[in-house]
Amino acid sequence: MPRHARFFAFVFFASLVAAPWGAHSAAAQEPDELAVPVEMDVEIPVITEADIQEADTAAAPEPADGNTFHAAVCPPLFAKAADAPDDKGSTALVSWNGCDPKYPAVSGYRVYRAEKDGQGYGPFKQIAELSADAKAGKNYEYSDEGLRDGDQYLYRVASFKGEDISYAFSLVSGKAITDLGPVLPERQIIAWDNRHEVSAGSAVAAPINVSAKDKPNDAGAGIIVSWTPPAAAAAAAGLRYNIYRSTQAEGDYKLIGSVGKERSEYADESHKSGPKDKDYYYMVAAADADGGLAVSEHSNAARAKVQLINWETWNFFLFALILSIFITYFIQSIKSGKKLFVRKIAGLEAIEESIGRATEMGKPVLFIPGILDMNDVQTVASIVILGRIARQVAEYDTRLMVPTSKSLVMTTGRETVKEAFISVGRPDAYNDDIVTYLTDEQFGYVAGVNGLMVRNKPATCLYFGAFFAESLILAETGNHIGAIQIAGTAQPAQLPFFIAACDYTLIGEELFAASAYLSHEPKLLGSLKGQDVGKLLGMGGMIFGGVFATIAEVSGAGWATSITEFFHRLFTAAVN
């Protein structure tokens, strides 16, 4: 492209990825328990509304100075209550962080629980008292066992100091939190022999026709579980379905997932890292709003299997097949002597002229293959171009300089240049000093190349490959010494600098087409023409799809809608 022939405006989009803040990773340590549970002959304090108001007022996390806290004692932090995993619905876990180290230490912590009855939640009663650890900020956890499966519970955690009992309840983000929960102990495991007992008292009927089958068109990672909802499921408020799994038909079934009442199918995707050679059985339980469970019969045995062909991606296979046919056709046509049209690229047409200019002036040609290693496709393309340029340099008996920043690029470049010199009958003109290694350090390499430019004043500077911040430095130095400069890169951010400072610039894909353009290798040219056919097919699909989508939207014709859906499916990746 001639200098100043085009102007480009590049719009760069930056994605801000917010990493989620993880919870404190230290494992919870079991504190010393003073009384768990509190014996019946011990007076159990009941929290009153006055206590709650006092706690909410006292728990404001604004210290008057570095040593004083408004509350009589500082509150526990980040308290939470949740159902215990892998149990039979009889345990809840209450956890919290100890007092902030900048406040005076407390004597201990008290855990309170309220149970839900027909009138709502009853009074909070103390169920445990735990002594404070000497290490402030320690993680605490209390396991409340012996709960009734299906009942709901609320929890509160308070700290105390000595004889002065002050209910400074848990804080989350500076806000006093009095109630933790509600916690509905979920039955994590159901024994086959115990399913009728679990279902007793449920307000809804159990799902029926539970079946399981391998998920089609996948890599053996999923099993589809389906069922028929009970008759009154649609009208039941808060209904959901819990899915349980076992490796034995009459064994213990473990909870693996839960879905809303509008669903009647569940995809068990947990086999991605697990064994794929086992049979699995499933039960589905209808869980009502009060925690009652109605457990179904178990399903048939199902096993996750790997499918060799994903038929949902037939469109990709179709495109690959069409492109392969065209690429093979073009390769065979070129081998048979047929001339294929390839659009001329001004920058490549100017390479031979620029090498001839360097020969006439008695000055060297400088070739820079980018700054990335041989694992980058741009570097591979630049080495192919180097081979063609080395042939012309050898024919014209012109000096060539190829400084590199990677040792593997140096080795590959030497072999490429050596082969080029041999192919034109000039093996005596080759020496290893043509391709040299400077340094892996980015700006150290740029400084070394700039030194070569200033000292040797090459008549032609060629930049092909991956470039970054050094692109403008190199191009400005080449412009300063008056060299003809031709550049090519697929780095969008560096193209404006090359366009501004170089005589010709290969933009993006032109860099990869250059290797086929210069070498006239049938396989490369055939692949290039085949890719062009793929682009034409894609453009045609978008045009026709847009036309039919417009017709369907304006007229509402069913045939246009069907064609539009076909084009949409044709160019859409299947999500498995």
Side-chain angles (χ1 to χ4, degrees):
M1 172 188 306
R3 186 186 302 172
H4 308 310
R6 302 180 186 174
F7 295 93
F8 290 86
F10 293 87
V11 180
F12 299 98
F13 296 94
S15 298
L16 300 178
V17 181
W21 293 96
H24 189 67
S25 60
Q29 303 179 38
E30 192 67 29
D32 297 331
E33 298 184 7
L34 300 182
V36 184
V38 178
E39 299 295 337
M40 292 306 297
D41 57 350
V42 178
E43 182 179 358
I44 301 177
V46 177
I47 301 176
T48 65
E49 290 300 321
D51 294 328
I52 296 175
Q53 294 175 5
E54 176 187 352
D56 290 343
T57 303
E62 296 292 339
D65 52 50
N67 300 315
T68 306
F69 193 73
H70 286 185
V73 292
C74 66
L77 303 174
F78 309 112
K80 61 182 179 180
D83 178 36
D86 300 333
D87 71 338
K88 295 187 178 181
S90 61
T91 306
L93 296 179
V94 184
S95 60
W96 65 94
N97 284 14
C99 187
D100 194 300
K102 65 182 178 181
Y103 301 122
V106 299
S107 301
Y109 302 93
R110 290 173 179 157
V111 182
Y112 299 85
R113 182 183 67 203
E115 302 180 14
K116 187 176 182 180
D117 53 26
Q119 305 299 322
Y121 287 96
F124 281 86
K125 296 184 179 181
Q126 180 182 333
I127 58 173
E129 182 175 296
L130 286 69
S131 62
D133 190 270
K135 180 181 179 182
K138 171 186 173 182
N139 289 356
Y140 293 86
E141 184 177 270
Y142 173 70
S143 179
D144 186 17
E145 301 177 352
L147 303 178
R148 294 184 297 275
D149 178 25
D151 286 357
Q152 294 187 23
Y153 302 87
L154 287 179
Y155 292 88
R156 292 175 180 172
V157 182
S159 52
F160 67 94
K161 183 176 179 63
E163 299 298 327
D164 183 15
I165 300 177
S166 178
Y167 299 103
F169 293 93
S170 59
L171 288 179
V172 176
S173 301
K175 179 182 178 182
I177 303 297
T178 55
D179 295 344
L180 306 175
V183 175
L184 176 64
E186 194 75 78
R187 180 172 287 273
Q188 303 287 322
I189 298 175
I190 297 178
W192 170 255
D193 296 336
N194 196 36
R195 67 190 187 283
H196 296 303
E197 179 182 340
V198 172
S199 302
S202 175
V204 296
I208 58 176
N209 302 327
V210 179
S211 63
K213 64 179 181 179
D214 175 42
K215 184 178 180 180
N217 300 314
D218 72 343
I223 293 177
I224 302 297
V225 184
S226 59
W227 61 90
T228 301
L239 182 70
R240 68 186 189 282
Y241 297 106
N242 292 348
I243 294 84
Y244 295 82
R245 185 184 67 194
S246 176
T247 56
Q248 298 179 352
E250 299 182 0
D252 289 343
Y253 285 76
K254 183 178 179 180
L255 180 67
I256 61 170
S258 182
V259 297
K261 65 179 181 180
E262 70 281 356
R263 298 272 299 277
S264 60
E265 187 176 276
Y266 176 81
D268 180 12
E269 302 281 0
S270 58
H271 305 279
K272 292 181 180 179
S273 58
K276 298 180 175 62
D277 57 347
K278 286 186 177 181
D279 289 332
Y280 291 92
Y281 300 84
Y282 295 85
M283 293 195 307
V284 180
D288 57 38
D290 296 326
L293 294 177
V295 185
S296 71
E297 297 296 317
H298 68 71
S299 70
N300 56 289
R303 177 178 299 189
K305 298 178 181 179
V306 178
Q307 279 77 43
L308 296 179
I309 300 176
N310 183 357
W311 294 105
E312 292 183 354
T313 58
W314 61 268
N315 50 340
F316 291 101
F317 174 77
L318 178 62
F319 275 116
L321 180 62
I322 293 174
L323 290 181
S324 299
I325 292 174
F326 276 104
I327 290 174
T328 304
Y329 166 75
F330 287 127
I331 291 175
Q332 295 302 322
S333 297
I334 297 172
K335 287 183 177 180
S336 64
K338 185 177 180 180
K339 297 292 184 180
L340 298 180
F341 171 77
V342 178
R343 177 179 64 87
K344 290 185 177 182
I345 301 175
L348 298 180
E349 292 291 315
I351 288 180
E352 185 171 359
E353 176 188 345
S354 65
I355 295 176
R357 177 176 181 268
T359 304
E360 293 173 357
M361 297 176 65
K363 293 184 177 182
V365 173
L366 177 68
F367 184 93
I368 308 296
I371 65 168
L372 294 184
D373 217 328
M374 289 304 301
N375 59 347
D376 186 81
V377 65
Q378 296 181 74
T379 306
V380 175
S382 71
I383 293 298
V384 175
I385 296 172
L386 173 61
R388 178 63 178 178
I389 292 172
R391 288 172 60 93
Q392 294 182 358
V393 167
E395 290 174 349
Y396 293 170
D397 196 19
T398 305
R399 183 184 171 196
L400 176 64
M401 297 188 302
V402 187
T404 65
S405 64
K406 299 291 186 290
S407 58
L408 188 56
V409 176
M410 177 193 68
T411 303
T412 308
R414 284 178 175 176
E415 291 298 322
T416 302
V417 173
K418 183 178 181 180
E419 182 180 351
F421 274 63
I422 294 174
S423 66
V424 297
R426 294 297 307 280
D428 56 304
Y430 171 78
N431 66 81
D432 286 343
D433 292 336
I434 293 176
V435 184
T436 57
Y437 168 79
L438 298 183
T439 176
D440 279 47
E441 203 280 322
Q442 181 183 15
F443 290 105
Y445 172 72
V446 175
V449 173
N450 282 350
L452 290 175
M453 286 183 174
V454 173
R455 290 190 299 270
N456 295 277
K457 289 184 170 50
T460 301
C461 294
L462 306 173
Y463 315 103
F464 293 102
F467 294 90
F468 297 90
E470 70 285 346
S471 61
L472 184 58
I473 302 174
L474 294 172
E476 282 296 330
T477 304
N479 186 276
H480 176 72
I481 64 175
I484 290 181
Q485 299 191 103
I486 303 173
T489 184
Q491 301 293 125
Q494 308 309 316
L495 285 173
F497 306 123
F498 280 140
I499 292 172
C502 295
D503 297 277
Y504 300 92
T505 303
L506 276 62
I507 299 175
E509 196 176 28
E510 291 180 340
L511 171 66
F512 307 114
S515 57
Y517 188 93
L518 294 174
S519 66
H520 300 288
E521 166 64 34
K523 292 181 180 178
L524 294 178
L525 280 175
S527 299
L528 184 65
K529 296 295 291 184
Q531 293 172 30
D532 289 342
V533 171
K535 295 172 188 176
L536 290 174
L537 291 175
M539 293 171 60
M542 289 187 287
I543 293 173
F544 282 104
V547 170
F548 287 113
T550 303
I551 296 174
E553 185 68 23
V554 173
S555 66
W559 61 270
T561 302
S562 300
I563 295 176
T564 302
E565 292 176 352
F566 170 77
F567 276 104
H568 181 268
R569 178 65 186 88
L570 187 63
F571 292 95
T572 302
V575 179
N576 204 348

